């Protein structure tokens, strides 16, 4: 390649043909134009006459210059000139292209493909082989590894097939994959980064620096990808939270709330102030609309990190409360309903009444607080409702301790057990850690929570399998039994502070939320053996697609802790009747920009090249000159005659085209009345030509 400032020739050796232009000049000058044929009968009188001296007519100078320009254009075009050629590649050896293809690269993926195309073009012009390495784990689940050294022609289809993946990059694994790479001397590394820190520090750039010169192509911090976190219940709706890596300026994001088939239900804006890398907003919706939400996404972001999928866990489920204690208006702080309503209201729709009234409406969970016995029609209704998938949550109390019915998960001893006090040697008991398989597994237990009194379960063979929570001495505190499609759950203590201070803690709220999650439409968290197959998964652009071959089912008990990756991409798992969502941003705390790179690494702004290929334009100009030369030659030979009528037709067509762009309507006069009338009606006519 020959560089002449902002102009370069990819095949400069073809410019040597320009030295032949003087020869072309001489050939054109001594070669006369073709004679014109004119019909002249007396020409026979001239036969046999010989001129004394013959001199060829010279080609006109202007025609010579035209043909020389045509020849020069062809030669220069074949030399493949390029205007403002990109100088992205500096070396002469092999090129290692390292590409961040995690979720954060999806926002400007087209720009990355354009930059990759420019790099491949320059490598091809310089006849340099290319090695490719992506930093996100492949969908097949295999480890990262670079490709072989490929000619650019073979590397192009590989680059064209690249797509962002819906999980994060692993640059430490990419650096490890380069450990045994044997690149030729003089090789150069190009890293197209997404601009975010994945927690591996400078491991990858340090490794690239060991292989040779390194260039890093990145984006301005203000256009880095944003992330939307799973919402938390708050008031009548959700609390939305978004993250960004660069907080230098104020910014406004719009979050779209959608139902199935992508129908938009609401839009809410999140405002970032200067200096903030996280911002929150409140999305308030009626319960009917909130329960139809399936997706939240940041508009115009198009990444898997900007999408949050919602399942039954985010729906406000109706919960009915029935208490056997005193009404709340008498002594609110002693009422069972006082603590239950304040614990359940943030994540459920609370209703109060009796058993018969509540079961006549749609209900997910029915809470019975210190109801000793359920008798008559209410007992039958509860049994039927349980079998159909309802959840009955009962709390103990003085009435249940004195006499209980059979609508319990375990048999109870009469009386109960008192811990602490003047007549007891025992001290108030603390809660034991929740066992594996319990729906409360993973919840943090505070040492300040103590139990002073409880009802005791009769020992049985299956008591351990029915126990969800215990005291430190092993006594069951929460037991449950599966009844048909529903659950029957019992807290062996009160819902107020009469027997325990559990209702005063945040643990009480979390335990109730886990139980509400067991209601209809939500996969049972306690069923640790159940598996949820992939249903529909997110791609790197945040679109739901059919599951690929690398995705595998996940256990129901692990759905809240599963880390998105090639084996478990973000998306919906389970079935249409009961699906659970795995979100990429679950557990994400912050987005951090890429830190300072090691010294000696060139950092460049990612952008489309200003390179312009002049070959098509020069060839088009040469073809145009060739057509002009052809027309001139035909005219000189008398084979091309231009009639005045043709010229008039061309001028008329030009005038009509100009008039069509800016039409002017003229008012008709009396002379045109007949023509206008004739043009508005269908008529049959013929023309007298006079030619028999």
């Amino acid at each position: 390649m020959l560089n002449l400032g902002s102009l370069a020739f990819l095949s400069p050796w073809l410019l040597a043909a320009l030295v032949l232009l003087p020869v072309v000049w001489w050939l054109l000058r001594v070669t006369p134009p073709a004679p014109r044929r004119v019909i002249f009968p007396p020409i026979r009188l001239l036969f046999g006459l010989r001129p004394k001296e013959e001199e060829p007519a010279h080609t006109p100078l202007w025609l010579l210059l035209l043909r020389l320009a045509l020849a020069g254009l062809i030669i220069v075009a074949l030399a493949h000139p390029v205007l403002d050629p990109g100088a992205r590649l500096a070396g002469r050896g092999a090129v290692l292209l390292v590409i961040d293809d995690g979720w954060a690269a999806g926002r400007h993926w087209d720009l990355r493909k354009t930059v990759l195309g420019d790099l491949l073009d320059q490598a091809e012009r310089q006849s340099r082989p290319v090695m490719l390495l992506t930093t996100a784990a492949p969908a097949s689940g295999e480890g990262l590894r670079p490709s072989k050294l490929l000619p650019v022609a073979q590397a192009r289809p590989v680059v064209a097939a690249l797509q962002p993946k819906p999980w994060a990059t692993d640059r430490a694994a990419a650096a490890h994959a380069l450990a045994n790479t044997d690149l030729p001397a003089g090789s150069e590394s190009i890293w197209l980064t997404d601009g975010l820190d994945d927690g591996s520090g400078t491991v990858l750039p340090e490794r690239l620096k060991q292989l040779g010169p390194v260039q890093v192509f990145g984006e301005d911090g203000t256009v880095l990808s944003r992330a939307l976190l799973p919402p938390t219940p708050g008031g009548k709706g959700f609390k939305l939270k978004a993250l960004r890596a660069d907080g230098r300026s104020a910014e406004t994001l719009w979050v779209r709330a959608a139902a199935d088939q992508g129908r938009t239900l609401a839009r809410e804006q999140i405002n970032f102030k200067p200096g903030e890398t996280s911002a929150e907003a409140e999305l308030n919706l009626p319960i009917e609309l909130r329960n139809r939400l399936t997706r939240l996404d940041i508009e115009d972001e198009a990444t898997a990190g900007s999408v949050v999928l919602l399942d039954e866990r985010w729906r406000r489920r109706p919960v009915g409360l029935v208490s056997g204690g005193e009404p709340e208006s008498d002594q609110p702080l002693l009422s069972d309903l006082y603590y239950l309503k304040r614990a359940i209201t943030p994540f459920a729709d609370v209703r109060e009444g009796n058993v018969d009234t509540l079961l006549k409406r749609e209900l997910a969970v029915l809470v019975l607080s210190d109801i000793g016995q359920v008798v008559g029609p209410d007992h039958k209704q509860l049994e039927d409702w349980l079998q159909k998938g309802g959840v009955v949550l009962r709390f103990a109390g003085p009435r249940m301790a004195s006499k209980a019915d059979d609508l319990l998960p375990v048999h109870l001893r009469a009386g109960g057990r008192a811990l602490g006090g003047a007549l007891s040697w025992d001290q108030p008991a603390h809660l034991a850690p929740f066992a594996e398989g319990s729906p409360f597994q993973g919840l943090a237990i505070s040492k300040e929570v103590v139990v002073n009194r409880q009802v005791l379960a009769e020992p049985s063979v299956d008591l351990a399998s029915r126990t969800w929570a215990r005291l430190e001495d092993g006594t069951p505190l929460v037991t449950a039994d599966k009844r048909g499609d529903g659950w029957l759950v019992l807290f062996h203590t009160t819902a107020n502070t009469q027997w325990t201070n559990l209702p005063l803690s945040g643990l009480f709220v979390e335990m109730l939320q886990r139980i509400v999650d067991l209601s209809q439409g939500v996969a049972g968290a306690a069923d640790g053996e159940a598996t949820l197959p992939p249903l529909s998964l997110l791609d790197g652009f945040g679109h739901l697609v059919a599951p690929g071959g690398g995705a595998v089912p996940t256990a129901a008990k692990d759905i809240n802790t599963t880390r998105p990756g090639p084996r478990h991409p973000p998306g919906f798992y389970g079935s249409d009747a009961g699906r659970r969502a795995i979100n990429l941003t679950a557990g994400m705390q912050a987005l951090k920009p890429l830190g300072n790179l090691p010294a000696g690494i060139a950092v460049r702004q990612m952008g489309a090249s200003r390179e312009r290929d002049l070959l098509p334009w020069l060839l088009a100009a040469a073809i145009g000159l060739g057509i002009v030369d052809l027309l001139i030659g035909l005219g000189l030979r008398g084979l091309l005659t231009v009639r005045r009528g043709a010229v008039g037709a061309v001028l008329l067509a030009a005038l009509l085209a100009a008039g069509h762009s800016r039409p002017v309507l003229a008012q008709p006069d009396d002379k045109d009345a007949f023509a206008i009338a004739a043009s508005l009606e269908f008529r049959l006519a013929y023309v007298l030509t006079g030619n028999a």
Side-chain angles (χ1 to χ4, degrees):
M1 185 173 69
L2 175 63
N3 287 310
L4 299 176
S6 61
L7 184 66
F9 292 91
L10 305 185
S11 302
W13 57 272
L14 288 173
L15 295 176
L18 292 175
V19 300
L20 300 177
L21 288 180
V23 179
V24 175
W25 170 281
W26 179 77
L27 290 175
L28 293 176
R29 188 172 182 275
V30 300
T31 303
R36 296 177 58 187
R37 290 181 176 271
V38 179
I39 299 175
F40 186 61
I43 195 69
R44 291 182 174 274
L45 300 175
L46 304 177
F47 285 167
L49 298 179
R50 294 178 178 271
K52 297 181 179 179
E53 184 177 357
E54 295 183 357
E55 292 182 3
H58 295 286
T59 302
L61 178 62
W62 58 270
L63 186 58
L64 277 174
L65 296 177
L66 176 67
R67 292 176 175 175
L68 285 177
L70 174 60
L73 274 178
I74 295 176
I75 294 173
V76 174
L78 294 179
H80 204 160
V82 176
L83 187 64
D84 292 330
R88 300 180 186 271
L89 300 181
R92 290 293 178 182
V95 179
L96 171 62
L97 293 178
V98 181
I99 307 158
D100 281 348
D101 60 339
W103 69 267
R107 189 167 187 256
H108 295 110
W109 187 252
D110 291 339
L111 177 60
R112 298 173 188 277
K113 297 294 284 289
T114 300
V115 174
L116 284 172
D118 294 340
L119 291 170
L120 291 178
D121 289 342
Q122 187 170 352
E124 185 175 34
R125 294 195 294 262
Q126 298 176 358
S127 301
R128 301 172 65 177
V130 174
M131 179 181 291
L132 302 174
L133 174 63
T134 57
T135 60
S140 61
E142 300 177 355
L144 289 172
R145 58 182 180 182
S147 69
K148 299 179 180 179
L149 281 175
L150 303 173
V152 173
Q154 297 182 18
R156 285 189 188 278
V158 179
V159 171
L162 290 179
Q163 294 291 333
K165 300 179 177 64
W167 48 82
T169 59
D170 189 354
R171 296 178 187 140
H176 180 72
L178 292 171
N180 298 323
T181 301
D182 188 16
L183 283 172
S187 299
E188 181 182 4
S189 299
I190 305 291
W191 176 22
L192 273 67
T193 176
D194 58 25
L196 296 182
D197 184 5
D198 67 347
S200 62
T202 59
V203 176
L204 179 59
E206 288 285 2
R207 175 57 188 156
L208 294 177
K209 190 177 178 181
Q210 297 174 3
L211 300 175
V214 182
Q215 293 188 65
V216 176
F217 286 82
E219 297 176 302
D220 181 63
T222 58
V223 295
L224 298 180
S225 295
R226 287 81 168 171
L228 182 66
L229 302 187
T232 56
K236 297 181 180 180
F238 296 122
K239 288 184 179 180
L240 306 176
K241 185 175 183 180
L243 303 176
R244 64 175 181 171
D246 192 307
R248 287 177 290 179
S249 60
E251 185 180 13
T252 297
L253 303 179
W254 282 93
V255 177
R256 187 177 71 101
D260 283 329
Q261 283 89 41
R263 190 165 70 90
T264 300
L265 299 181
R267 294 173 73 243
E268 186 64 43
Q269 65 179 9
I270 298 181
N271 297 313
F272 288 91
K273 297 179 181 179
E276 290 183 346
T277 57
S278 65
E280 297 182 354
E282 188 84 16
L283 177 62
N284 294 321
L285 290 173
I287 294 177
E288 292 76 10
L289 292 180
R290 173 175 174 171
N291 289 344
R292 293 164 61 185
L293 284 180
T294 59
R295 177 187 177 104
L296 299 171
D297 61 80
I298 302 175
E299 294 183 352
D300 301 325
E301 192 70 15
T303 67
S306 66
V307 176
V308 173
L309 301 177
L310 306 178
D311 55 27
E312 301 291 336
R313 290 171 289 178
W314 281 275
R315 296 187 177 182
R316 288 182 65 90
R317 314 190 73 71
V319 176
L321 302 181
V322 181
S323 175
E326 297 295 331
E328 183 177 338
S329 59
D330 294 344
Q331 295 184 2
L333 296 180
L334 298 179
S335 171
D336 300 342
L337 298 184
Y338 178 85
Y339 297 96
L340 287 172
K341 284 195 297 185
R342 281 151 182 79
I344 297 175
T345 298
F347 57 86
D349 179 25
V350 177
R351 304 168 181 174
E352 296 182 50
N354 55 43
V355 174
D356 180 62
T357 303
L358 292 173
L359 290 184
K360 288 180 180 178
R361 303 176 61 186
E362 288 188 357
L363 205 64
V365 179
L366 182 61
V367 181
L368 305 178
S369 179
D370 196 17
I371 302 292
Q373 291 184 321
V374 181
V375 296
D378 290 348
H379 190 283
K380 174 63 176 173
Q381 291 183 45
L382 276 180
E383 283 282 5
D384 295 341
W385 187 68
L386 269 172
Q387 295 294 327
K388 295 178 181 179
V391 175
V392 175
L393 173 59
R394 303 191 65 174
F395 284 86
R399 292 173 180 80
M400 183 177 290
S402 61
K403 191 173 183 180
D405 55 27
D406 60 346
L407 196 62
L408 295 170
V410 295
H411 295 289
L412 299 179
R413 293 181 181 181
R417 174 193 184 195
L419 302 171
L423 301 179
S424 175
W425 292 97
D426 297 327
Q427 297 296 322
H430 297 275
L431 273 66
F434 299 116
E436 184 178 355
S438 168
F440 309 136
Q441 179 184 358
L443 296 181
I445 298 176
S446 173
K447 287 297 183 181
E448 297 179 357
V449 175
V450 294
V451 176
N452 300 311
R453 188 174 178 182
Q454 66 172 146
V455 292
L456 294 175
E458 289 283 358
S460 63
V461 176
D462 57 352
L463 180 60
S465 61
R466 298 187 181 188
T467 301
W468 284 0
R470 301 175 182 272
L471 299 178
E472 288 183 335
D473 59 2
T475 306
L477 181 66
V478 181
T479 55
D481 183 31
K482 186 77 172 175
R483 298 288 180 91
D485 293 331
W487 284 96
L488 180 58
V489 185
L490 171 64
F491 273 70
H492 291 237
T493 187
T494 57
N496 58 17
T497 57
Q498 187 176 358
W499 288 7
T500 177
N501 65 352
L502 177 62
L504 298 176
S505 67
L507 177 62
F508 187 64
V509 178
E510 294 176 331
M511 294 174 72
L512 292 179
Q513 187 172 4
R514 293 285 181 92
I515 294 175
V516 172
D517 286 348
L518 297 176
S519 57
Q520 294 181 7
V522 178
D527 190 3
E529 300 300 326
T531 57
L532 305 175
L535 183 62
S536 55
L537 306 177
L538 290 177
D539 63 7
F541 299 108
H543 303 145
L544 282 173
V545 296
V552 299
T554 182
K557 65 178 182 179
D558 299 330
I559 194 70
N560 294 320
T561 58
T562 300
R563 182 179 179 183
R567 293 176 57 83
H568 303 297
F572 284 120
Y573 289 74
S575 62
D576 290 327
R579 58 187 183 183
R580 301 293 292 270
I582 294 180
N583 288 302
L584 175 67
T585 57
M588 187 179 293
Q589 301 296 326
L591 293 179
K592 297 180 180 179
L594 193 65
N596 295 327
L597 298 174
I601 294 181
V603 180
R604 302 185 62 178
Q605 188 76 23
M606 189 180 299
S609 174
R610 296 180 300 171
E611 180 178 289
R612 295 292 180 269
D613 191 353
L614 300 181
L615 173 62
W617 300 97
L618 293 179
L619 287 180
I623 293 174
L625 286 181
I627 295 175
V628 172
D629 180 76
L630 176 63
L631 295 177
I632 292 174
L634 293 176
L636 293 177
R637 297 176 185 178
L639 301 178
L640 181 65
T641 58
V642 180
R643 299 180 181 274
R644 294 182 179 179
V647 174
V650 172
L651 293 177
L652 179 61
L655 290 175
L656 290 176
H660 179 70
S661 61
R662 300 185 64 180
V664 178
L665 300 179
Q667 297 296 330
D669 54 16
D670 295 337
K671 297 180 180 180
D672 297 330
F674 174 80
I676 294 176
S679 64
L680 295 178
E681 295 181 10
F682 180 79
R683 295 173 180 268
L684 296 176
Y686 65 95
V687 178
L688 293 175
T689 64
N691 189 342

